[in-house]
Amino acid sequence: MCARNKKVKQMSKVLIIGGGIAGISAGCYLQLSGFETEILEAHSISGGLLTGWSRNGYHIDGCIHGFLGSYPKHPYYHLWNELLPMDEIRFLDYDKMLSFANRKGV
């Protein structure tokens, strides 16, 4: 066994900074590959932009309203299905996700 392989085998724990969807996904795939993981998250709950938060009197509902890949025929759907029970999640699909207007309503 070469020295490089020994180093990989010795490194069995990975520290992940951030418990958003990327950090959680990285942790899942690393654990599936045999690594022990620890995720550090600054917020009181994990989820990153898939959660809601309040700032300066406004509530920002990031939640799962714009979840790219929620439709079974979308190319990302099979990727999410590796980590989530996609057929058990109820998604709301809108014709228009966002709308911006200036003070004149345009």
Side-chain angles (χ1 to χ4, degrees), residues 87-104:
D87 57 339
E88 297 175 18
I89 301 171
R90 182 174 170 256
F91 293 97
L92 300 176
D93 295 314
Y94 300 98
D95 292 332
K96 186 189 299 186
M97 291 297 291
L98 295 171
S99 179
F100 296 94
N102 62 20
R103 290 183 181 171
K104 295 179 181 178

Side-chain angles (χ1 to χ4, degrees), residues 13-102:
K13 185 171 184 176
V14 177
L15 183 64
I16 299 168
I17 309 298
I21 194 69
I24 293 170
S25 296
C28 288
Y29 283 113
L30 284 164
Q31 287 184 15
L32 289 170
S33 298
F35 290 87
E36 183 182 345
T37 61
E38 184 175 347
I39 299 174
L40 300 179
E41 171 57 48
H43 196 336
S44 59
I45 58 173
S46 59
L49 293 176
L50 295 180
T51 61
W53 64 93
S54 295
R55 185 172 295 151
N56 298 326
Y58 294 94
H59 184 74
I60 311 300
D61 185 8
C63 291
I64 207 157
H65 298 299
F67 193 76
L68 186 63
S70 61
Y71 185 67
K73 292 185 180 181
H74 192 281
Y76 290 170
Y77 184 89
H78 75 282
L79 297 172
W80 290 120
N81 203 39
E82 291 180 352
L83 299 171
L84 302 168
M86 293 296 285
D87 57 339
E88 297 175 18
I89 301 171
R90 182 174 170 256
F91 293 97
L92 300 176
D93 295 314
Y94 300 98
D95 292 332
K96 186 189 299 186
M97 291 297 291
L98 295 171
S99 179
F100 296 94
N102 62 20

